[in-house]
Amino acid sequence: MSSLIGRLALVTGGGSGIGQATCRILAREGASIIVADRASKNVQKTLQSIQSDTTQNHLGLEMDVAKATSVEDALKNTLEKYAKPPSIIVNCAGITRDNFLLKLSEEDFDEVINVNLKGTFLVTKIFTNSIVQNGINNASIINIGSIVGDYGNLGQTNYSASKAGVELLTRTASKELGNLGIRVNVILPGMIRTPMIDAVPPKVQEKFKELIPMKRFGNAEEIAEVIAFLASDKSSYMNGATIKVTGGF
């Protein structure tokens, strides 16, 4: 039997990459999915890809995680449709604006921090308040960090800092929310085949592959399967954990 039947899951950044794969995997496991993304076209594409089971009741939302009013509107729409908040929250929304430190603009620094770190904070805070208010005491929040948040990466001062922040936000939130029955864990993907990686020049991609013992990039589904595990009761005693999915990088 699928492990998430009857559960409601919010996936930010659900329109592409790891977020889209997560929507498919969680839907496969029986969850009803709230697909949230800034790009409404991508939301519709994801919804179409998971609509095969008519017993599940999915929802698509256009949401900007960096704006509190947008996140609050998303929660309002969720409560109107389901009369309850999601008990699974996956913070996948993320962007890059790469450049070397000495050339990086203040605007590009701010935008990456606002989406990747502040966005994770806003979604977690606003939806968790509703979880607590509705008396849900078995919830799982899964945040997506990055291995470069641990080690840094050339040309990614802003991205590395934002993802390091997500990891520490996760650890602190897990200490504050654990006694409320809310688990918070973070996954650090390595080089995963997504639109973000596809934008990297082929020569640079090959150099990265040489640093990976498995000699290949990961697939978005390989991250989504770990997310499904953390969302389920199979990981019921995991809280504040950092899981690296990197092929050994």
Side-chain angles (χ1 to χ4, degrees):
M1 182 180 290
S2 294
S3 58
L4 299 176
I5 290 174
R7 301 286 295 276
L8 180 60
L10 167 71
V11 181
T12 73
S16 65
I18 292 171
Q20 187 179 69
T22 298
C23 291
R24 290 198 301 266
I25 298 296
L26 296 186
R28 182 200 70 192
E29 293 300 307
S32 294
I33 310 298
I34 305 160
V35 183
D37 200 286
R38 283 199 300 193
S40 56
K41 272 187 185 179
N42 292 343
V43 169
Q44 293 309 312
K45 285 180 184 176
T46 299
L47 280 176
Q48 289 168 10
S49 74
I50 62 175
Q51 292 288 17
S52 57
D53 188 342
T54 55
T55 63
Q56 291 162 272
N57 193 10
H58 305 307
L59 173 66
L61 295 174
E62 187 176 339
M63 181 172 76
D64 184 347
V65 298
K67 296 179 180 177
T69 52
S70 183
V71 178
E72 288 163 355
D73 286 345
L75 174 60
K76 181 181 176 183
N77 290 332
T78 297
L79 295 175
E80 285 175 356
K81 182 174 177 68
Y82 301 103
K84 64 179 182 179
S87 61
I88 299 165
I89 297 171
V90 186
N91 283 303
C92 272
I95 62 169
T96 56
R97 295 289 184 269
D98 294 349
N99 213 332
F100 291 111
L101 174 65
L102 299 184
K103 296 180 179 179
L104 184 64
S105 70
E106 183 179 355
E107 292 76 17
D108 283 349
F109 183 89
D110 286 347
E111 189 176 4
V112 169
I113 296 294
N114 284 340
V115 172
N116 297 2
L117 180 54
K118 181 185 173 185
T120 299
F121 159 72
L122 287 175
V123 172
T124 301
K125 177 187 174 182
I126 290 167
F127 276 83
T128 300
N129 268 317
S130 185
I131 288 170
V132 173
Q133 290 162 10
N134 282 269
I136 296 172
N137 57 9
N138 180 24
S140 178
I141 300 171
I142 302 108
N143 296 327
I144 303 301
S146 171
I147 196 65
V148 304
D150 271 8
Y151 300 115
N153 192 33
L154 290 169
Q156 291 194 310
T157 308
N158 48 2
Y159 186 77
S160 299
S162 71
K163 292 301 189 178
V166 167
E167 185 175 357
L168 271 295
L169 183 154
T170 299
R171 290 185 194 170
T172 303
S174 71
K175 297 177 190 299
E176 296 183 8
L177 303 178
N179 67 333
L180 300 174
I182 303 167
R183 299 183 295 112
V184 193
N185 296 289
V186 61
I187 297 172
L188 307 188
M191 300 301 164
I192 308 300
R193 182 65 71 186
T194 65
M196 200 179 284
I197 288 293
D198 290 341
V200 175
K203 285 185 179 179
V204 179
Q205 289 189 29
E206 290 305 315
K207 286 183 179 180
F208 273 118
K209 280 182 187 175
E210 288 302 311
L211 300 174
I212 301 169
M214 294 180 72
K215 301 304 179 189
R216 68 171 178 88
F217 292 155
N219 297 313
E221 288 75 15
E222 291 174 303
I223 304 298
E225 293 286 4
V226 181
I227 290 171
F229 167 70
L230 290 174
S232 76
D233 290 338
K234 295 175 183 177
S235 59
S236 56
Y237 199 54
M238 291 184 69
N239 185 39
T242 296
I243 301 178
K244 298 178 181 179
V245 187
T246 68
F249 176 74

